Amino acid sequence: MNDPPTRYTFIEQTKIQAQVLVPLIKAFQAEMGEERANLIAKTALGGWIRQVAEQMAVAGTGIDKISAMAPYFADGDALDIEVVKKTDTVLEFNVTGCRYATFYKELGVPELGFLLLCNLDYPLAEALGADFKRTQTIMQGADHCDFRYALRKDHTST
């Protein structure tokens, strides 16, 4: 009898992936410069997270699709989330605790945590049909991250 496949939380996956990605990105930065290496990583990971969003096919419509994604990233006690506002077209929340940031700070590379994780929020929002704004992150030293989503008019019923 086969055992069911192991399910890793997103934070567990992040920690496993960091073992390869951090030295790889650092090597690329040393070889081609930080700006070029970071742009390549950001572009590649943006395409990947868009595919993840499509594959997850989160149920619901409108802003419910976006709010349904939060538990996926918070699983494993990864995030402390405080909802500020939720309507049919707007979702605003703050992340007041982030174990992703703690992990990357312990590695001594919070800037790579920002590159590899925080930058994914923009293409993810785009894939879900929302405009996204954030002015600060814990990964960059703030006391909280401010997530602000507004559903685009062409996605209000999808």
Side-chain angles (χ1 to χ4, degrees):
M1 184 174 267
N2 291 338
D3 291 332
T6 302
R7 182 198 170 280
Y8 293 102
T9 63
F10 193 77
I11 193 161
E12 291 169 327
Q13 292 174 45
T14 297
K15 290 178 178 183
I16 293 166
Q17 292 165 351
Q19 295 175 38
V20 173
L21 290 177
V22 168
L24 187 65
I25 297 294
K26 284 184 165 192
F28 285 144
Q29 288 173 337
E31 183 66 29
M32 63 180 66
E34 188 173 323
E35 185 176 330
R36 179 85 175 119
N38 289 359
L39 179 61
I40 292 169
K42 187 176 172 180
T43 302
L45 292 172
W48 169 76
I49 199 68
R50 283 182 190 91
Q51 288 179 334
V52 168
E54 290 170 11
Q55 289 171 356
M56 288 183 78
V58 176
T61 60
I63 215 70
D64 291 331
K65 284 181 122 174
I66 297 168
S67 61
M69 297 283 296
Y72 174 73
F73 298 106
D75 195 16
D77 192 37
L79 300 172
D80 301 325
I81 298 174
E82 173 185 277
V83 176
V84 175
K85 179 180 179 181
K86 184 178 181 202
T87 70
D88 290 343
T89 59
V90 171
L91 176 62
E92 298 181 356
F93 63 89
N94 294 330
V95 170
T96 57
C98 178
R99 263 56 79 199
Y100 298 100
T102 302
F103 171 70
Y104 275 98
K105 286 177 184 175
E106 288 172 354
L107 290 180
V109 289
E111 71 284 356
L112 291 184
F114 184 82
L115 173 69
L116 297 171
L117 292 173
C118 301
N119 274 317
L120 297 179
D121 296 328
Y122 294 92
L124 179 63
E126 182 182 310
L128 294 171
D131 292 322
F132 175 68
K133 292 182 183 173
R134 184 183 55 225
T135 63
Q136 59 186 27
T137 66
I138 295 171
M139 195 79 74
Q140 292 178 305
D143 66 345
H144 71 280
C145 308
D146 56 343
F147 286 76
R148 305 297 183 256
Y149 293 92
L151 207 58
R152 292 193 308 258
K153 291 189 188 313
D154 60 335
H155 282 81
T156 55
S157 61
T158 59

